[in-house]
Amino acid sequence: MWAKTITGNFANVIHGLNANHLTDQVIQRSKRMILDTLGVGLLGTSTEVCHKVTQYSKIYSSDISSTIWGHLDFRLPPLYAAFVNGVAVHSMDFDDTWHPATHPSGAVLPAVIALAEAFPQKKKISGLDLLLAFNVGIEVQGRLLRFSSEARNIPKRFHPPTVVGTMGSAAACAKLLALDRPKCKNALAIAASYAGAPLANAATQTKPLHVGNAAKHGLEAACLASQGLQGNKQILDMESGIGAFYTDYSPQTLPTLQSYPWLLDQQDVAIKRFPAHLGTHWVADAASSVRRKLVESSDDLLPLDKIEKVVLKVPEVKYVNRPSPACEHEARHSFQFVACSALLDGSMSVQSFTSENVHRPALRELLRRTQLEHPPDNTPSFESLYCEVSVTLRDGSAISDRCDTFYGHWRKPLEKEDLEKKFQCNASSVLPPEAAEGIIETVYNLEKVEDCSVLSTFLSGRWARALWEKLHLL
Amino acid sequence: MVYFTLQKSQKFLASSRQVHKTAAHVVARSAPEETVTSSFASFIHAVQPEHLSKTVRHRSKRMILDSIGVGLVGSTTHVFDIALQYCRELYSSVAVSSVYGKPGVKLSPTLAAFTNGVATHSMDFDDTWHPATHPSGAVLPALLAASQMLPPGTKPNGTDFLLAFNVGLEVQGRLMHFSTEAHNIPKRFHPPSVVGTMGSAAATAKLLSLSTAQCTHALGIAASLAGAPMANAATQAKPLHIGNATRLGFEAALLAARGMEANPLILDDIAGCSGFSAFYNIYQPKPLSTPSDHHEFLLEKQDIAFKRFPAHLGMHWVVDAALSVRNLFINYAGSFSPSLIRTIVLKIPVSKYINRPFPSSEHQARHSFQFNACTALLDGEVGLSSFTESSIHRQELRELLDKVVVEHPEDNVANFDKMYGEVALLLHSGDVLTGKCDTFYGHWRKPLSKESLLKKFRSNASHVLPEEKIETIITMVDNLENLPDSSLLACSL
């Protein structure tokens, strides 16, 4: 069906895509994303920011409710479940990153899972429905990011998950709700009026709310559209629509549904190995490698007193340039912090960002000797940036190394074992091992799962032989 | 549990790890770092009822009354029904806050704010300020809902309420003065969704007596909830902009009350990483003076415009111009005879979203110079019923619309302080009759009289409330400073 506007075209595609369109690669990649996102979300439920939003959201309770990941003791209405789980996913900046830059899964997954549990008329949603809706949400985000050349670089004005993430969530929920074409359009239109948060709240406790709100507001937009609310039918076409968030904006129609070319097929995501801004992952790999050259065995301590200075060659990204971060949120957005941490410890982990580690004297001392340089060829784009770490010793000698592609980047994706290891590590902080295993099994076999609410059951920490058998019977 | 307690204590501040802000600034205890953001937080926190001048009290009470009225009539709209149904389906507990025009219904506070905000803007009947925004709808619903949320014994009185309302207006006004773009009719972001959210956060923070630090964070969190594109104006989704502004600003304050922290420099200019400046191309923030003995509220110098009929403010000029030329025409021809008219020329400023030759829905009709001019010519007035389906699609009106041409004189600036409307009838006979309006009745230069304002309120409220209740509200608002418990106002809706 041919649409006269880009907005209409998007609605047609959201409406028209079905399970047959999913390619093997897309299925495989998106399942990896789902697993990783669940893991980081489960871990994130233990953060302070998550506690605060949970307390806040508990004001609202109703008959219809959805699971809060990692919690058996209470539930929340779908909107607030999406919000709280979305905050959990981004609470430590541990979630996936795509190119052009955004955090795609956190804005979509919490919303579709919450919605699937609380479906109108108690309809059962299959794993395949969930997988399809998830991918629609990812795809829409990717397409929108390509409407502006600004999006190719690390952002400066609006935080991308709040712009495209809200739209992706709306699209995914519209798909799950099986809205007709006009309502898909309205879902997008309404969502646009919720989109957009300034970047300045990055590196603060409020940043995780960006992803939580993207998920929640996209879901709300789809629900309002479902109830008949209408918005501007040309929301994607107009400069005063989604174009308002960009200085250059050229929207294009989506490809036809015939053998639909998913963006996830052409462009994978990066999965983080430690909870910090993606830019710091290059720094960590380069710094770890320099450390290996500096000490004979990994048990040895870094010879701090011998170090004169540390120079990092990184792209110019103001909000990740923090010489002396004072809290975990700032530390996760600091090239300098991650370099010094990796030099001191050999590798980065969840523990690197605890208050004790952030404030330890050896680290502060090393930070004082660290400076940044911005080579002109080091562009602020996750596709092309690099990092060079060089340590100059008091005797004048210098050791350096460069990282072009860190392990976990889309050019060097995590192995299956390492992805699972990250998930297990994260999930085990709040779930019993059987529930964690249940999630892995469910996600790996998602297309065959008849009723995806089994995923939510595991997410709340429950597991039972019966559930297991349910999975294996298929 | 119906009520919840707020953590108004300083303990989140005292734990030192957040006192530093960024590496570049160190906050001294006695003289707080005077960033723009902190000056706003200090103002919100420190301003007192004594700072409200007589003019400001008077004007803001008129705004409160008008806002309630348009909200009440707005509760009869379709968009309101959708919003209400949505909220009721998802939430049934902690329902303490009233909904306009629905005496038996209560919702949770932020959703009541949302619903009432949608009602207020549902017909584009609410007040407009200069620089351009709809200030009251973004603030009042949150305050009403919040007043009902607080436990008995801590209820704010009428003066507290009036003060919080004015804080919400003041913050909006001050923020708009940060950008010259704000002086003209908007093109990119719809102002209520930008400054309205911030105003709601400020007002609620004030009502809830948050600490200065919490006020700062309320503003910071609110910024991440602000900003909706203009494209949804003239659609059914537009009322959500006010609904969300008041609701999300309220949420920001609640989150701040619970200790959520954001960027303490959110209003300042942060190179390479946008804060509130993200919503503007030109952004020059200025600190607010801490109210010591005297603080001049913007409302003192710059009054509000109240609408006489439910349509975009720009329509009011062309309608008054059309009415004046209509009178001329009737004197000329004996009666209004459309067949004598060859062409209708409208001289209006350039503004795409209100230039619609053939609107097809009520939302579009409220944002159409052409439609409003022709309706005024045909009927001799524009009112609620002008925007029904049958009115919009009637044959005589379409015939008139066919005759309209639009001109954009260079001196007609898209600015609510400077624009004018001119309607010229070019007759087949060759004669030309013209009507021009520089300042419509209801504009801040020619404010509605008390009688006219009350007439509008009574007319609106009577759609959903009985007479005694209507009069009660009028009296309560008039004597707001003397009201011992401001939640009584919300309860009477």
Side-chain angles (χ1 to χ4, degrees):
Chain A
M1 196 186 138
W2 180 72
K4 288 176 280 191
T5 62
I6 289 164
T7 311
N9 163 254
F10 265 65
N12 289 348
V13 170
I14 292 167
H15 182 260
L17 281 170
N18 59 52
N20 296 324
H21 289 109
L22 293 169
T23 67
D24 284 340
Q25 173 143 264
V26 164
I27 290 178
Q28 199 239 2
R29 284 178 171 175
S30 56
K31 292 200 294 194
R32 282 164 59 93
M33 289 159 75
I34 290 173
L35 190 69
D36 186 66
T37 303
L38 291 175
V40 309
L42 286 166
L43 178 67
T45 60
S46 57
T47 59
E48 192 190 306
V49 60
C50 209
H51 285 146
K52 287 182 184 169
V53 300
T54 303
Q55 278 311 110
Y56 165 72
S57 301
K58 276 174 149 176
I59 306 172
Y60 313 106
S61 56
S62 80
D63 306 325
I64 310 166
S65 67
S66 302
T67 301
I68 304 308
W69 301 355
H71 282 273
L72 195 49
D73 47 337
F74 68 95
R75 297 165 67 77
L76 285 175
L79 213 69
Y80 283 92
F83 176 56
V84 169
N85 293 329
V87 168
V89 167
H90 200 46
S91 60
M92 295 178 165
D93 232 296
F94 210 177
D95 45 329
D96 54 24
T97 311
W98 211 10
H99 179 67
T102 195
H103 300 292
S105 301
V108 172
L109 191 63
V112 292
I113 289 183
L115 180 58
E117 265 187 288
F119 219 75
Q121 291 107 42
K122 305 262 184 268
K123 182 172 163 225
K124 274 210 185 76
I125 305 295
S126 71
L128 191 57
D129 292 331
L130 190 76
L131 189 61
L132 178 63
F134 176 78
N135 277 289
V136 165
I138 303 298
E139 179 72 5
V140 163
Q141 293 183 65
R143 293 288 171 183
L144 290 175
L145 285 167
R146 282 160 172 74
F147 288 176
S148 171
S149 58
E150 282 163 38
R152 301 197 80 74
N153 291 341
I154 297 174
K156 286 189 194 179
R157 206 154 66 104
F158 288 106
H159 190 209
T162 63
V163 181
V164 301
T166 312
M167 305 298 282
S169 169
C173 293
K175 187 65 188 171
L176 203 66
L177 287 167
L179 297 188
D180 61 27
R181 278 184 207 89
K183 287 188 173 170
C184 285
K185 239 193 270 191
N186 285 321
L188 291 171
I190 298 163
S193 278
Y194 287 81
L199 199 55
N201 276 327
T204 77
Q205 197 183 47
T206 295
K207 190 191 191 200
L209 268 66
H210 288 186
V211 171
N213 279 325
K216 165 201 197 204
H217 292 148
L219 172 54
E220 181 161 291
C223 289
L224 286 166
S226 169
Q227 302 217 344
L229 190 74
Q230 296 166 16
N232 190 319
K233 297 193 194 2
Q234 300 195 24
I235 197 70
L236 301 183
D237 298 77
M238 298 172 72
E239 248 178 47
S240 58
I242 272 291
F245 297 104
Y246 300 100
T247 51
D248 80 282
Y249 182 71
S250 348
Q252 285 124 48
T253 50
L254 295 171
T256 60
L257 285 169
Q258 259 185 331
S259 66
Y260 188 83
W262 298 84
L263 288 172
L264 192 57
D265 239 326
Q266 304 153 36
Q267 170 71 61
D268 198 1
V269 288
I271 305 259
K272 292 176 175 175
R273 286 187 355 257
F274 57 88
H277 186 273
L278 200 74
T280 63
H281 279 60
W282 279 265
V283 171
D285 276 16
S288 300
S289 161
V290 165
R291 186 193 194 276
R292 276 193 294 279
K293 297 183 190 174
L294 273 175
V295 300
E296 265 119 45
S297 83
S298 58
D299 289 343
D300 284 353
L301 289 174
L302 189 75
L304 248 186
D305 45 338
K306 296 210 181 97
I307 295 177
E308 170 78 30
K309 70 174 179 189
V310 176
V311 175
L312 309 178
K313 289 194 176 144
V314 289
E316 187 164 1
V317 182
K318 292 229 164 81
Y319 76 105
V320 192
N321 173 353
R322 289 168 203 276
S324 183
C327 67
E328 65 168 287
H329 301 287
E330 289 184 10
R332 301 186 199 282
H333 294 77
S334 167
F335 287 125
Q336 297 92 326
F337 178 85
V338 170
C340 295
S341 262
L343 281 171
L344 278 174
D345 303 334
S347 67
M348 301 295 296
S349 72
V350 171
Q351 299 313 310
S352 310
F353 299 91
T354 61
S355 195
E356 301 85 53
N357 281 333
V358 167
H359 292 106
R360 50 188 162 146
L363 183 78
R364 305 318 284 191
E365 181 52 46
L366 198 54
L367 277 172
R368 278 192 276 278
R369 304 181 202 167
T370 303
Q371 52 196 96
L372 296 188
E373 277 175 19
H374 303 302
D377 72 336
N378 202 346
T379 44
S381 151
F382 292 138
E383 177 55 40
S384 56
L385 79 94
Y386 65 86
C387 172
E388 212 176 282
V389 172
S390 111
V391 172
T392 309
L393 303 175
R394 292 211 195 280
D395 65 10
S397 60
I399 320 250
S400 67
D401 208 333
R402 172 173 166 146
C403 171
D404 284 300
T405 304
F406 66 86
Y407 178 46
H409 190 267
W410 44 83
R411 288 191 298 260
K412 207 193 277 181
L414 288 192
E415 299 291 333
K416 181 170 185 248
E417 301 72 46
D418 290 323
L419 187 79
E420 260 173 68
K421 197 167 149 215
K422 177 186 174 185
F423 175 80
Q424 285 283 15
C425 219
N426 286 341
S428 63
S429 63
V430 289
L431 292 183
E434 297 84 0
E437 270 305 317
I439 294 174
I440 295 179
E441 280 294 305
T442 311
V443 172
Y444 279 163
N445 296 297
L446 202 50
E447 311 90 302
K448 304 184 210 120
V449 171
E450 232 176 46
D451 178 358
C452 69
S453 69
V454 63
L455 187 59
S456 300
T457 310
F458 287 132
L459 277 169
S460 68
R462 276 174 297 170
W463 71 280
R465 194 152 300 280
L467 279 174
W468 267 96
E469 281 156 11
K470 210 172 164 187
L471 264 185
H472 289 182
L473 268 174
L474 297 161
Chain B
M1 200 49 245
V2 172
Y3 302 114
F4 67 96
T5 52
L6 296 163
Q7 289 144 332
K8 298 186 210 170
S9 71
Q10 299 285 325
K11 68 179 181 204
F12 288 99
L13 233 212
S15 53
S16 62
R17 63 179 191 83
Q18 277 301 346
V19 174
H20 45 280
K21 311 314 171 195
T22 65
H25 299 282
V26 172
V27 179
R29 282 261 150 241
S30 52
E33 175 68 38
E34 198 51 0
T35 60
V36 174
T37 313
S38 65
S39 76
F40 270 64
S42 299
F43 167 75
I44 296 166
H45 183 256
V47 73
Q48 295 302 316
E50 299 76 69
H51 292 112
L52 295 170
S53 70
K54 216 167 142 207
T55 304
V56 165
R57 275 173 217 252
H58 170 74
R59 286 178 173 175
S60 54
K61 290 197 293 190
R62 281 162 58 91
M63 290 160 75
I64 290 173
L65 190 71
D66 186 68
S67 195
I68 291 174
V70 310
L72 288 170
V73 72
S75 71
T76 61
T77 60
H78 182 47
V79 60
F80 173 82
D81 283 337
I82 294 176
L84 179 61
Q85 192 191 359
Y86 170 72
C87 294
R88 288 183 83 174
E89 272 177 15
L90 288 185
Y91 308 95
S92 55
S93 281
V94 200
V96 296
S97 298
S98 303
V99 174
Y100 284 161
K102 305 272 175 193
V105 178
K106 289 244 172 28
L107 291 175
S108 63
T110 58
L111 290 174
F114 173 64
T115 309
N116 290 334
V118 168
T120 305
H121 201 46
S122 60
M123 296 177 168
D124 232 296
F125 210 176
D126 46 328
D127 55 23
T128 312
W129 211 10
H130 180 69
T133 195
H134 301 293
S136 299
V139 172
L140 188 63
L143 293 180
L144 290 168
S147 71
Q148 291 178 294
M149 177 184 86
L150 291 166
T154 70
K155 294 271 192 217
N157 60 36
T159 301
D160 296 330
F161 191 92
L162 190 59
L163 178 64
F165 180 75
N166 277 286
V167 166
L169 301 180
E170 181 72 358
V171 165
Q172 292 183 68
R174 294 286 171 181
L175 290 175
M176 285 190 291
H177 282 286
F178 287 177
S179 174
T180 48
E181 283 160 47
H183 282 77
N184 294 338
I185 299 176
K187 287 187 198 177
R188 207 155 63 104
F189 290 108
H190 191 210
S193 67
V194 180
V195 300
T197 314
M198 307 296 281
S200 171
T204 323
K206 186 65 185 169
L207 197 76
L208 299 175
S209 304
L210 299 193
S211 70
T212 310
Q214 288 171 327
C215 289
T216 310
H217 293 305
L219 291 171
I221 299 163
S224 277
L225 292 163
M230 278 306 292
N232 276 328
T235 76
Q236 197 186 43
K238 188 190 190 198
L240 262 66
H241 290 187
I242 289 275
N244 277 328
T246 194
R247 170 225 250 184
L248 298 174
F250 187 179
E251 282 196 4
L254 290 176
L255 284 163
R258 279 176 156 56
M260 181 71 61
E261 293 163 358
N263 191 322
L265 296 176
I266 197 70
L267 300 181
D268 294 77
D269 220 348
I270 311 160
C273 176
S274 301
F276 190 67
S277 62
F279 300 107
Y280 300 99
N281 291 327
I282 305 168
Y283 186 76
Q284 283 141 346
K286 295 170 274 270
L288 267 179
S289 53
T290 334
S292 40
D293 303 312
H294 179 70
H295 174 88
E296 193 179 67
F297 285 80
L298 289 169
L299 192 59
E300 181 83 35
K301 283 262 171 61
Q302 171 68 61
D303 198 1
I304 217 96
F306 290 115
K307 292 172 176 175
R308 283 186 355 254
F309 53 87
H312 184 276
L313 200 76
M315 312 300 106
H316 284 63
W317 278 269
V318 298
V319 164
D320 275 16
L323 291 176
S324 110
V325 79
R326 182 182 197 272
N327 282 337
L328 284 178
F329 187 48
I330 290 176
N331 286 341
Y332 172 98
S335 65
F336 184 74
S337 322
S339 53
L340 297 177
I341 304 174
R342 183 164 55 84
T343 311
I344 302 171
V345 180
L346 298 186
K347 291 197 174 151
I348 49 173
V350 174
S351 182
K352 281 200 188 131
Y353 78 107
I354 38 182
N355 176 351
R356 293 168 198 274
F358 297 103
S360 54
S361 72
E362 64 167 287
H363 303 286
Q364 290 186 0
R366 300 186 200 280
H367 295 78
S368 163
F369 282 120
Q370 296 91 327
F371 178 88
N372 284 274
C374 290
T375 300
L377 285 172
L378 202 55
D379 300 337
E381 61 171 3
V382 180
L384 250 81
S385 54
S386 310
F387 300 93
T388 60
E389 275 293 297
S390 41
S391 297
I392 293 172
H393 293 110
R394 54 192 164 141
Q395 185 59 19
E396 323 84 90
L397 186 70
R398 307 311 280 193
E399 278 167 13
L400 264 191
L401 284 170
D402 271 324
K403 303 187 195 211
V404 175
V405 300
V406 148
E407 280 174 25
H408 303 299
E410 263 191 55
D411 69 340
N412 203 348
V413 190
N415 171 315
F416 292 140
D417 203 40
K418 299 190 184 139
M419 65 173 276
Y420 63 85
E422 207 177 289
V423 179
L425 303 179
L426 309 184
L427 307 179
H428 284 295
S429 64
D431 288 325
V432 176
L433 304 169
T434 317
K436 180 170 173 175
C437 171
D438 282 305
T439 302
F440 64 85
Y441 178 47
H443 190 268
W444 43 83
R445 288 192 298 263
K446 205 193 279 182
L448 289 190
S449 66
K450 183 174 181 193
E451 295 68 42
S452 297
L453 193 74
L454 286 178
K455 189 166 160 216
K456 178 186 174 186
F457 179 78
R458 288 190 175 107
S459 167
N460 285 342
S462 64
H463 283 263
V464 289
L465 292 182
E467 206 190 305
E468 321 83 63
K469 272 203 160 174
I470 296 176
E471 296 308 314
T472 305
I473 296 172
I474 292 175
T475 314
M476 243 193 258
V477 174
D478 207 31
N479 295 304
L480 196 50
E481 300 95 311
N482 302 321
L483 201 58
D485 174 359
S486 60
S487 74
L488 291 173
L489 182 58
C491 295
S492 66
L493 302 169

